[in-house]
Amino acid sequence: MTVYLGIDFGTSGARAVVIDSVGTIFAETQYPFPIQAITIDTATHWQKVLFSLIEQIPQSIKGEINAIAINGTSATVLLCDRIGQPVDAPILYNDPRGVAVMEQLRTIAPPNHVVLSATSSLAKLLWWYDCTDLISKSSAETNPLYFLHQADWLAFLLHGKLGISDDHNALKLGYNPENLCYPDWLKQLPVSPMLPNVLAPGTPVGVVTPEVAHGLGLSPDCLVCTGTTDSIAAFIASGAKQPGEAVTSLGSTVVLKLLSTTPLEDAKFGIYSHRLGNLWLTGGASNTGGAVLRHFFSDRELESLSSQIDPEQESALDYYPLLRPGDRFPINDPDLRPRLEPKPDNSVEFLQGMLESIARIEARGYSLLQQLGASPLTGVYTAGGGAKNPTWTRIRERQLMVPMLTSLHTAAAYGTALLAKQGCLLEDRV
Ligand code: ADP
């Protein structure tokens, strides 16, 4: 038996999925994250979760795992010493402390670069450099520190090699996936010795260490491959493969991802591209979405009211649903006013107006990506809480004018298991 393990460290929990070479799921394990303060022990907790996910897999399957890959939340980062021990609490994906270095960052990075955000990995690295003495006290020769993303560090725990990342995680650190290198302005910074070497996602790094193989019951030949971010892993899981195929995530916000033969970059709209095989994964995120729906309706109401909407009859309502002013994509206007008037007395009509309006914003987003040069949209998979609303799916199909596709899988861990399988193909191990 040849099987592959994908591990997902998401925002609310961790999951593992084992698949065989045709994609059949052999085992699944999970571990919810309790809400906890982030301390220097957080990484130790991640380690416990990682090992527990693997330990829970039945031994008959675990011993047959050929390769492992791990995804983490994008821009969740940590600083560790030469033996991989964290020297400070990790900084989570949404931690805005990087705002303290934004002024400096603007003088370093080109205008509108993807790193110019308080939550980018580079802002977090510069924060460690500027606002603590951890980096100044270290020495590249005798006492080096390593800056890693969550997925990089978790993979290190299995293969034992420090200083390795993948180009999906490294994008918000400033890595250029088109030229496959860090840009010169980044290489000149004093923190540059700490930047990880970047490989393509799903590249074999090495086999598990003997201690890990023995301790967790894995084969000593089990490969560990570079990983990806949680949202790209979920994209890969959907089954989207061809240029023009897209995945819309209808969660609290609306996130569009479209596979394209050409990369796009327009920081004004928050558009950037990740390399995915020989294609480019491009997209953008709007502040409209489920969070506004949740402000007015419970999930149960959303279900019952939606079933009373006729998706074939369009209302005359034209909203821009937002919780607070401002959007970036597909309209770049930090002062954009939320528009939810006129509000009909009838809740079914009001919800219909909102679902139609969010669908129009989604369609405008895909149009913008195509105007900027992305491959023409051919079909859309859906992820997130809104995916379970068939009325909305039909409304969106009418707006987007392409088929709505059914995802093969939605779990990010599944997409990451596919990356592990790809790593074995690269090593000719299948
Ligand atoms: P996130 O992970 O971004 O917080 P989820 O993917 O879990 O979001 O989706 C939650 C969102 O889905 C909520 O904001 C909720 O309003 C929305 N939602 C839940 N049920 C439905 C439904 N039947 N139709 C449309 N939206 C829904």
Side-chain angles (χ1 to χ4, degrees):
M1 188 165 65
T2 308
V3 292
Y4 311 94
L5 169 60
I7 294 177
D8 162 43
F9 271 68
T11 47
S12 55
R15 275 175 87 160
V17 169
V18 181
I19 63 168
D20 69 3
S21 46
V22 292
T24 308
I25 295 179
F26 267 67
E28 277 182 273
T29 62
Q30 49 188 308
Y31 198 117
F33 293 147
I35 296 173
Q36 273 181 341
I38 304 301
T39 68
I40 192 152
D41 295 327
T42 299
T44 313
H45 179 66
W46 293 345
Q47 175 166 5
K48 198 174 115 201
V49 172
L50 172 69
F51 288 177
S52 159
L53 287 173
I54 299 176
E55 277 161 358
Q56 289 175 58
I57 300 168
Q59 185 56 48
S60 57
I61 298 173
K62 204 164 44 174
E64 303 292 324
I65 294 172
N66 240 20
I68 303 175
I70 303 177
N71 72 259
T73 48
S74 176
T76 293
V77 295
L78 55 69
L79 207 54
C80 63
D81 64 15
R82 64 195 311 171
I83 58 163
Q85 201 63 33
V87 297
D88 197 2
I91 306 182
L92 258 53
Y93 61 99
N94 55 356
D95 186 317
R97 74 183 76 179
V99 80
V101 298
M102 281 306 288
E103 214 166 294
Q104 182 201 356
L105 196 49
R106 270 190 274 273
T107 65
I108 298 171
N112 291 326
H113 196 279
V114 61
V115 298
L116 290 172
S117 144
T119 55
S120 76
S121 304
L122 185 58
K124 289 165 182 160
L125 174 55
L126 291 182
W127 181 85
W128 260 314
Y129 183 74
D130 274 10
C131 303
T132 73
D133 59 1
L134 288 166
I135 297 178
S136 59
K137 278 196 324 205
S138 71
S139 137
E141 282 80 41
T142 57
N143 178 22
L145 289 184
Y146 292 86
F147 177 83
L148 294 175
H149 304 93
Q150 182 185 39
D152 312 335
W153 186 76
L154 290 165
F156 150 77
L157 295 177
L158 302 180
H159 58 52
K161 297 185 174 68
L162 280 165
I164 298 169
S165 187
D166 63 85
D167 57 59
H168 293 168
N169 273 295
L171 190 88
K172 291 182 183 168
L173 186 54
Y175 185 79
N176 182 330
E178 271 187 81
N179 301 340
L180 298 175
C181 61
Y182 288 108
D184 288 340
W185 58 262
L186 186 47
K187 286 194 277 199
Q188 285 158 11
L189 297 182
V191 291
S192 73
M194 300 166 56
L195 299 174
N197 291 322
V198 178
L199 304 172
T203 303
V205 174
V207 292
V208 289
T209 63
E211 300 76 50
V212 164
H214 181 72
L216 296 179
L218 293 164
S219 156
D221 296 328
C222 177
L223 277 177
V224 184
C225 304
T226 49
T228 180
T229 64
D230 56 346
S231 62
I232 299 182
F235 182 93
I236 297 170
S238 72
K241 277 197 183 76
Q242 304 298 328
E245 290 183 339
V247 176
T248 301
S249 174
L250 297 174
S252 304
T253 58
V254 174
V255 183
L256 274 47
K257 289 193 192 304
L258 170 60
L259 260 187
S260 172
T261 51
T262 43
L264 300 189
E265 186 154 356
D266 196 321
K268 184 170 52 140
F269 294 110
I271 295 173
Y272 47 85
S273 302
H274 287 279
R275 188 184 282 273
L276 199 61
N278 53 3
L279 295 173
W280 293 92
L281 187 53
T282 182
S286 168
N287 293 336
T288 192
V292 194
L293 296 177
R294 188 163 272 174
H295 181 76
F296 292 97
F297 305 106
S298 68
D299 287 3
R300 195 179 288 180
E301 284 168 331
L302 285 174
E303 213 177 306
S304 72
L305 296 173
S306 297
S307 69
Q308 298 169 55
I309 295 172
D310 177 2
E312 309 302 330
Q313 298 295 323
E314 202 167 322
S315 76
L317 299 165
D318 182 20
Y319 299 146
Y320 203 105
L322 292 172
L323 284 182
R324 56 192 72 84
D327 206 0
R328 190 161 183 204
F329 173 90
I331 298 177
N332 171 35
D333 178 357
D335 302 316
L336 186 71
R337 310 293 311 167
R339 196 170 66 238
L340 281 163
E341 298 288 337
K343 185 173 177 203
D345 295 334
N346 180 322
S347 301
V348 176
E349 270 176 54
F350 183 48
L351 176 61
Q352 178 169 5
M354 286 220 273
L355 297 181
E356 287 170 356
S357 300
I358 297 173
R360 268 192 293 273
I361 296 167
E362 180 187 2
R364 185 166 172 170
Y366 283 120
S367 296
L368 176 64
L369 294 174
Q370 291 165 87
Q371 270 166 34
L372 293 171
S375 298
L377 186 71
T378 58
V380 178
Y381 295 89
T382 311
K388 54 177 185 264
N389 186 330
T391 311
W392 202 6
T393 306
R394 178 62 191 138
I395 289 173
R396 293 169 55 227
E397 188 166 42
R398 282 164 52 96
Q399 295 281 350
L400 296 168
M401 294 190 293
V402 292
M404 304 305 285
L405 307 167
T406 306
S407 296
L408 295 176
H409 295 276
T410 50
Y414 188 94
T416 304
L418 292 175
L419 273 184
K421 179 181 146 198
Q422 178 193 311
C424 278
L425 285 170
L426 287 174
E427 285 276 292
D428 217 8
R429 285 252 217 130
V430 181

